[in-house]
Amino acid sequence: GCSGNYHRNQIMRVATEPTFPPFEFQGKDGELAGFSIDLMKAIATAAHFQVEFQSLPFDGIIPALQAKTVDGAISSMTITPERSKTVAFSRPYFKAGLAIAVRRDNQNITNFQSLQNHKIAVQIGTTGAKKAETVRGAEVRSFDSAPLALQELQNGNADAVINDAPVTLYAINTGNLQGIKVIQQLLTEEFYGIATAKNSLDLPLINQGLSTILENGKYQQIYQKWFKS
Ligand code: GLN
């Protein structure tokens, strides 16, 4: 890893949970792809280090950072006060938020309040899962990935999914997820950060690279590629 003294072209081990298109997913060739993957590669180029991605379950990422089996994580991870107790975050790199998804013919679930006493599918360990646990009388079903939670909704085994809006919307807009709509009003405003262990010496390097690509247009180019085509 990059702990200790920095050397140009040192390898940073970066965890990701690649079932979250368009941010991080496995392309048809099996290679990691997505906004976050391109972003992390650009950060590394800008700050002169190398990245080696490691796929992990989402709820395994923070433990891996703490155990230092990885040096960083880019996985659409929302910066929260709770997570900030155990890991450190880069400056925010993306603004997102949670949305409720329901089947297109659903007329009763129209906002957060109307989720009461319904079955809600979520991805384990996420901010969406936390939010679902605050709904009175709800039965919360946890899945290893957002696509699995959305599939449960599509199958009629859940009434709603609480997930990051850009991911659910991307699935709908690409035609990968049919018969599902998103409730207009977002539940939260959340910011993604790249996570490291506390006091990591990699973090200043990541922030430096991130600032460089925000200033030189590279961030915008990657954003256009994934969100404006
Ligand atoms: N942004 C959400 C969170 O941090 C979901 C992340 C994810 O599923 N990859 O919990």
Side-chain angles (χ1 to χ4, degrees), residues 20 22-23 96-100 162-173 182-184 186-188 192:
F20 219 55
F23 293 99
L98 295 174
I100 301 168
I162 302 180
N163 184 41
D164 294 28
V167 171
T168 303
L169 288 170
Y170 188 81
I172 293 171
N173 294 338
V182 154
I183 291 169
Q184 284 287 310
L186 290 187
L187 295 180
T188 55
Y192 297 160

Side-chain angles (χ1 to χ4, degrees), residues 67-99:
K68 300 203 158 87
T69 57
V70 294
D71 305 303
I74 188 158
S75 205
S76 309
M77 191 178 282
T78 302
I79 301 168
T80 68
E82 193 194 353
R83 288 173 179 160
S84 299
K85 287 179 193 159
T86 52
V87 295
F89 284 101
S90 69
R91 65 183 281 188
Y93 66 83
F94 195 89
K95 183 176 140 183
L98 295 174

